[in-house]
Amino acid sequence: MADDKAQDGFVECVDPRTNLKPEPRITGTVNLIEDGEIILIPRPTADPQDPLNLPEWHKWLILIIVALYAMTGNLLASGIGILIPQLNEVYNNDPHVDDLVTWPAFYMGLGNLIAMPIADAIGRRPVYLLSNVILIIGSIWCSYSNSLGSHIGGRDFMALAAGQSEALCVLIAEETFFMHQRGNRIAWFCSLQTLGTALFIIASSYISNSIGWRWWYGIFAIITGFTFVLSILFVVETKYDRPLDSFFGGSDDSAEGKVTASQRRNLDFVNFKARSFWNDLKPWGAVKPQWKEIPKFWYHLGQLTLFPAVLWLVLCSGALLGTYILMTAVFAQVLMAPPYSFNPNYLGFVMGGQAVVAFVVQPIAGYGSDIALKYLTTRNKGVSEPEYRLIPAILPAAVAIVSCVIYGRSCEYPADWAWTGVVIPMNALFYSFVSVVVLGFVYTMDCYPQRGHIAMVALCAGRGFISFGISFGTTAFVRVSGYDGALDICAIVLGVLTSFGFVTYFFGKSFRKFTQRWAVDE
């Protein structure tokens, strides 16, 4: 019998054949492939309530529904850029119109800091359902607002719920799938969100120009209501506490053993309660409230944010999002002015280029991440390292830097550049942002499996605050530095930040070994 124990966050096992202790296990370094078989990580239980035991169709349905919520949440909070020319006319070119674009990023980050600890204490489902309600109320508030101040207030309130499209929705999707599926499934989530948002943006220009910007909010409030009904019916509770050992895949010497992808799993209906549709309909109650987890959540959040790899990803994604918001805040006025002289109805198609991004992200950041993981794991004798996930990040990093340079010069010198110099770089930078988000999510989940949900908040809230800092005062920033100067600064910042990816790749395991004592529960 193996003598298992945990010391300082390390999991050790005595080898019964040699009576020697191997090197302490490092979280994230796992046996993923053995004898050509993929080992299921986390190890599923025999409990019917375990979300890993949901039928595959139900898992995909949950992913699609939360992606639909993310589509409308992301659109309402971040897709207002195409309405800015119209809103400038409505509010007589008040400089605070820019606040309709920039402040929601701040409140999306704040919403993550408030909602995610509560979701950790009482479960994902009640917080997610409440977020649907808040998004609907916020949309109606904006639709009926009678001043710019009220409009900004409604958007900030709505953004508190829209922030859940970044962390909570991803967490719900992630908790129903296994480690070897994560890159692909999270990429599917982000691709569906991106594709849906792009199609909604194309429709937005027609909606706002034909029936007004107020009905823009009204229509997407109705769509969110439809999502809310689907969520009540099918998005079940996905929070499930697991022992640390289950994240290593098990071994022949462990009490539970390993479970492979080809192995048939039988559920235990004697010792566990069977899942029922009517019981799943309850808005709350699937998880016993643990309010003491809330301050612990914030404490762990502070720790994780200072971990080198997590901090690097926060800075990278924040800089990418801030640069993208800056681009979306100014592109409409540039394209509508001579020499481009765009028809306002066509502005939706400009941001609709994100639909192409959806199809590019999935094979590169999704399948590419999982393929790289499996290939390098096989070469490493079945042992997987999270750093393998970072290899596909090289392309989006290069694309982001080039996009900033071209976009800035196209906006500053429109007579010398075609309109494609504005449209393509903006959508290309969005591709870089989404790719880094996907890779960041799956990388941190693999590194710190028991703190994955907290790491996602660090990434989402952190990038929200950083992007707000970069994009706030966009007009003044551009007026002082010019379009080319402002975007050159962004390109330099992105170049410096992304270069630290090489440090994380080669020293990531050392970082994990040093930090894991603060990132595991015995």
Side-chain angles (χ1 to χ4, degrees), residues 340-510:
Y340 299 138
S341 303
F342 261 54
N343 186 321
N345 286 329
Y346 296 157
L347 291 177
F349 287 99
V350 173
M351 296 188 73
Q354 293 177 9
V356 178
V357 172
F359 292 106
V360 174
V361 167
Q362 175 56 33
I364 296 178
Y367 283 105
S369 173
D370 285 345
I371 289 172
L373 179 73
K374 294 173 186 176
Y375 173 73
L376 294 173
T377 296
T378 302
R379 288 191 59 183
N380 197 29
K381 299 179 181 179
V383 178
S384 172
E385 304 286 358
E387 285 70 36
Y388 298 158
R389 299 278 194 185
L390 299 179
I391 292 177
I394 296 174
L395 178 61
V399 168
I401 296 170
V402 174
S403 297
C404 288
V405 175
I406 295 176
Y407 185 91
R409 278 152 181 74
S410 298
C411 292
E412 188 68 22
Y413 308 107
D416 300 330
W417 291 78
W419 59 267
T420 51
V422 176
V423 175
I424 294 177
M426 184 173 70
N427 286 287
L429 188 112
F430 185 73
Y431 151 75
S432 298
F433 167 66
V434 175
S435 296
V436 170
V437 167
V438 171
L439 296 170
F441 279 153
V442 294
Y443 174 70
T444 52
M445 288 178 211
D446 290 356
C447 285
Y448 306 107
Q450 288 188 312
R451 299 281 189 274
H453 59 300
I454 301 177
M456 278 195 288
V457 177
L459 294 174
C460 295
R463 74 166 177 254
F465 296 139
I466 292 171
S467 65
F468 168 75
I470 292 175
S471 60
F472 186 70
T474 298
T475 304
F477 186 27
V478 171
R479 186 167 55 245
V480 172
S481 304
Y483 291 112
D484 55 340
L487 271 298
D488 281 351
I489 292 173
C490 292
I492 293 170
V493 171
L494 290 173
V496 172
L497 288 174
T498 54
S499 66
F500 280 95
F502 294 100
V503 177
T504 304
Y505 181 81
F506 289 108
F507 295 97
K509 188 170 184 177
S510 298

Side-chain angles (χ1 to χ4, degrees), residues 90-343:
V90 172
Y91 296 117
N92 300 314
N93 292 309
D94 190 315
H96 289 291
V97 169
D98 284 343
D99 293 349
L100 294 169
V101 180
T102 56
W103 273 102
F106 175 87
Y107 281 93
M108 288 175 77
L110 183 62
N112 280 313
L113 291 179
I114 296 172
M116 287 298 288
I118 299 176
D120 205 38
I122 67 174
R124 323 303 189 207
R125 179 173 163 85
V127 175
Y128 168 71
L129 293 178
L130 180 60
S131 297
N132 276 263
V133 174
I134 293 175
L135 194 61
I136 294 169
I137 293 174
S139 302
I140 296 173
W141 175 350
C142 291
S143 179
Y144 283 93
S145 60
N146 53 15
S147 67
L148 178 57
S150 176
H151 193 172
I152 293 172
R155 287 187 57 74
D156 293 344
F157 176 75
M158 179 176 63
L160 291 172
Q164 309 324 310
S165 66
E166 298 184 317
L168 184 58
C169 289
V170 177
L171 178 62
I172 291 172
E174 178 267 334
E175 288 180 328
T176 60
F177 294 101
F178 297 100
M179 176 182 162
H180 70 282
Q181 302 170 319
R182 282 178 184 163
N184 170 261
R185 300 304 192 268
I186 298 304
W188 266 113
F189 170 86
C190 291
S191 294
L192 288 171
Q193 176 189 5
T194 301
L195 178 61
T197 302
L199 295 176
F200 286 160
I201 287 175
I202 292 173
S204 294
S205 58
Y206 290 98
I207 293 172
S208 61
N209 287 316
S210 59
I211 57 178
W213 63 269
R214 295 184 185 277
W215 264 109
W216 181 76
Y217 285 109
I219 288 174
F220 289 108
I222 294 171
I223 294 175
T224 305
F226 173 70
T227 306
F228 179 53
V229 174
L230 291 177
S231 300
I232 291 176
L233 295 176
F234 299 109
V235 180
V236 300
E237 181 58 59
T238 60
K239 176 177 167 57
Y240 195 88
D241 293 327
R242 304 180 191 280
L244 178 60
D245 185 64
S246 69
F247 295 101
F248 289 102
S251 66
D252 292 331
D253 299 320
S254 68
E256 296 291 335
K258 62 178 180 288
V259 181
T260 64
S262 62
Q263 183 177 336
R264 180 180 176 85
R265 306 198 306 272
N266 296 315
L267 302 183
D268 183 354
F269 295 100
V270 176
N271 299 303
F272 298 102
K273 183 180 178 181
R275 181 183 290 278
S276 73
F277 175 76
W278 297 109
N279 194 55
D280 285 341
L281 283 180
K282 295 178 181 177
W284 57 79
V287 173
K288 183 179 180 180
Q290 296 175 303
W291 298 107
K292 64 180 181 180
E293 295 297 315
I294 293 180
K296 190 184 296 184
F297 186 102
W298 285 325
Y299 174 69
H300 290 153
L301 178 62
Q303 289 179 323
L304 275 168
T305 305
L306 297 177
F307 289 2
V310 177
L311 180 60
W312 168 66
L313 286 166
V314 168
L315 294 173
C316 279
S317 58
L320 283 166
L321 179 58
T323 303
Y324 176 70
I325 292 175
L326 189 155
M327 289 181 174
T328 59
V330 301
F331 87 97
Q333 61 197 48
V334 171
L335 291 178
M336 290 177 64
Y340 299 138
S341 303
F342 261 54
N343 186 321

